[in-house]
Amino acid sequence: MTTNDNKLIAKTYRSLQQQICKQLETADGKAAFTTDHWEKEIGEGDTMVLQDGDAIEKAAVNFSAVSGTVSDTMRKALHIEEGDSYFATGISSIIHPKNPHAPITHMNVRYFQLGSGKAWFGGGIDLTPHYVNKKEAAWFHRELKKVCDRFDENYYPNYKKWADDYFFLPHRDETRGIGGIFFDHQDGSDEKFAQLLAFTGALAEAYPSIYTELLNKNRNRLFSEKEKQWQHLRRGRYVEFNLLYDRGTKFGLESGGRVESIFLSMPPLASWAYHFQPEKNSPEEETQRLLKKDIDWLNA
């Protein structure tokens, strides 16, 4: 890959970031994104944040393009076996809704290149409902499958399994949500470069439309204080995953990235209750029961 390829990818992802923000502003109908352009020794980026909207409590869409020397800690954390320098660019987004019946969602697409010439793409989209709705979960997975099938019919089953294994909290023995798709270290060589760039772009384009559908179905539903408290507990699990296991968080910190942007995925409010157990036969217990790997959501 060349410097021009890197510039092309960064330009493509930056444009997608702007597109996503416009769609989410329209979906919320009240709040607008603010843009915080940052520059550091390793590169630059735009952190875009929407807060206290009509339906969205907090949304963030980050873009960055950075480069530097591969540190020993980065090499270990990212399983890098060759190359002393790197270039990385991508966009990541998180949405925390106000209504506990609307889900949290996350999307990330990224490109990573080593000085040796080895390059790869990664990313995915996943959904973390506070209350699992089987019909909505099935619809979400079908929409992801449609995007995947445009490029390779093996993508969805392979990347769905990968998401189940990745978005998992082993210390809780539960998944973060209902998964989605996740992939990493997908060969970005000349042969696959164009397809994977197009695929990551298609995922980023589908992301706001998919979420808007789910948000609009649930944004005006009535909820109780008990349901709001459950939302905060589920957000706590989200925080646990991001701090303990998320690769993007680890890369950002290990590479000397901008801390404010790295931690934007955190919810505005979250809580932890000692040894909390949902009531028997409650919606909360049903959701807890469904936080498992290898559920066939397409046919739920």
Side-chain angles (χ1 to χ4, degrees), residues 180-195:
I181 60 170
F182 175 81
F183 55 97
D184 203 3
H185 286 260
Q186 299 302 284
D187 184 11
S189 62
D190 291 341
E191 183 179 350
K192 297 282 288 184
F193 177 84
Q195 186 198 54

Side-chain angles (χ1 to χ4, degrees), residues 24 71 84 91 152 176-177 182 197 216 247 252 266 277 281 289 300:
L24 292 179
S71 66
D84 296 322
I91 51 177
D152 190 321
R176 188 171 79 171
F182 175 81
L197 178 60
N216 287 340
R247 293 181 185 179
M266 301 305 175
Q277 298 294 321
N281 302 317
R289 186 182 66 81

